[in-house]
Amino acid sequence: MLPPVKKDRVITHLPKCFSPNAALHTKAGFHPQVKAMCQAQKADAMSFNIAKVIVVGDVAVGKTCLISRFCKGAFSKTYKATIGVDFEMERFEVLGVPFSLQLWDTAGQERFKCIASTYYRGAQAIIVVFDLSSVNSLTHARQWLEDAMKENDPSSVLLFLVGTKKDLSTPDQLAQTEQEAIRLSEEIKAEYWAVSAKSGEGVRDFFSRVASLTFEANVLAELEKSGSRHIKDIIRITDSTEANYTPKRKSNCC
Ligand code: GDP
Ligand code: MG
């Protein structure tokens, strides 16, 4: 039997976005249909309890450290290039339902790109990582996204643009890079975050948000698939004010 999910992986409320100017949506809570579905405990019968997440970006921007900080709670200063791909599973509980993120860490080096790209397919979320202290890595973010999107359905993938190594930037540098990053994230319809794998700042909040939004998207997609009659049954048990909720998720581009 699996050990219980760690306390800080138990999500009962939708975590806040990092910047309301660059968020996938800014609703204060989970979609009422999703809450109803989980309350009705129909969730475990569904196929949405896992989400594939791919992490892409230039070499040495900090992809592996970001994943290690979250999954292992550790940070290593010594650089070890990722060969091809690696993956980690992280278990959550969202609204009482077991949910896992499958985090695919890819190699940024040109010679491994071909191997890595074969793992891009079927992602529910794409995390494009750049180094907040390297404007070049932000410039390359668009290309990484385009490559990852070639293998995926733009209408069902959630995008995140994550600046790492926040600890290395002065407040002035950070403000300048963030301005550009937020502009890009608006353009590509991604949610923007700035984090540090070294200090851990923002890392847990970020992945909780990824888990929550992918979970929500998976449940909604499943509800849509299972038909409107089923949805009506579930809606009936939600409170009437919440039933008026209209989702305003941005569509994805590229
Ligand atoms: P990847 O090639 O994108 O997977 O990059 P890595 O995660 O292996 O990190 C590359 C280098 O950046 C390593 O030497 C890390 O120690 C360093 N690094 C990664 N994240 C941070 C961070 O948040 N702060 C600082 N100061 N260094 C970092
Ligand atoms: Mg790596």
Side-chain angles (χ1 to χ4, degrees):
M1 218 175 89
L2 288 169
V5 171
K6 287 183 216 156
K7 258 200 195 137
D8 64 356
R9 307 294 198 254
V10 175
I11 298 170
T12 50
H13 295 92
L14 183 67
K16 284 202 183 91
C17 59
F18 181 75
S19 160
N21 295 335
L24 286 170
H25 70 59
T26 49
K27 299 277 179 284
F30 281 103
H31 191 293
Q33 286 181 12
V34 172
K35 284 199 271 185
M37 184 71 173
C38 296
Q39 270 164 20
Q41 294 193 324
K42 291 186 177 149
D44 52 357
M46 299 288 184
S47 55
F48 51 69
N49 54 6
I50 189 161
K52 176 176 178 177
V53 178
I54 55 171
V55 183
V56 298
D58 275 2
V59 69
V61 288
K63 300 179 293 299
T64 302
C65 286
L66 176 65
I67 295 172
S68 300
R69 163 60 74 189
F70 180 62
C71 297
K72 304 184 181 128
F75 173 76
S76 158
K77 267 196 205 148
T78 43
Y79 179 59
K80 222 176 100 211
T82 308
I83 313 287
V85 284
D86 250 341
F87 89 86
E88 295 275 350
M89 281 285 262
E90 198 58 37
R91 291 168 58 221
F92 290 83
E93 191 187 289
V94 188
L95 298 175
V97 176
F99 183 68
S100 295
L101 284 187
Q102 200 182 53
L103 297 167
W104 290 80
D105 181 15
T106 64
Q109 276 156 304
E110 203 57 43
R111 66 198 158 112
F112 296 130
K113 235 180 173 176
C114 188
I115 314 173
S117 67
T118 58
Y119 293 89
Y120 290 173
R121 192 161 305 162
Q124 266 100 345
I126 297 171
I127 300 175
V128 183
V129 180
F130 72 97
D131 176 347
L132 284 163
S133 60
S134 151
V135 182
N136 259 351
S137 68
L138 176 61
T139 315
H140 298 159
R142 200 190 299 265
Q143 186 58 50
W144 281 107
L145 177 63
E146 270 174 33
D147 290 349
M149 284 312 262
K150 274 184 209 149
E151 306 291 333
N152 284 290
D153 171 7
S155 67
S156 62
V157 155
L158 300 179
L159 304 179
F160 296 86
L161 179 66
V162 180
T164 52
K165 310 193 189 181
K166 193 175 176 183
D167 59 285
L168 291 181
S169 301
T170 62
D172 280 354
Q173 278 171 338
L174 190 65
Q176 212 180 338
T177 321
E178 278 203 321
Q179 215 181 359
E180 297 215 7
I182 288 179
R183 201 178 308 140
L184 176 64
S185 68
E186 280 172 353
E187 194 189 315
I188 62 176
K189 308 278 185 276
E191 179 161 306
Y192 169 71
W193 282 75
V195 302
S196 165
K198 187 174 181 187
S199 69
E201 187 186 339
V203 174
R204 203 177 63 198
D205 291 344
F206 167 63
F207 282 105
S208 296
R209 179 90 174 155
V210 175
S212 302
L213 294 182
T214 47
F215 175 82
E216 184 176 64
N218 279 7
V219 178
L220 289 173
E222 194 66 37
L223 280 167
E224 209 170 289
K225 253 201 303 188
S226 61
S228 56
R229 230 192 68 210
H230 189 46
I231 293 174
K232 272 188 218 140
D233 290 347
I234 290 153
I235 284 294
R236 219 175 289 137
I237 68 164
T238 65
D239 118 14
S240 57
T241 51
E242 280 186 335
N244 291 328
Y245 176 109
T246 36
K248 219 180 94 193
R249 231 187 80 197
K250 291 176 185 176
S251 64
N252 297 303
C253 70
C254 306

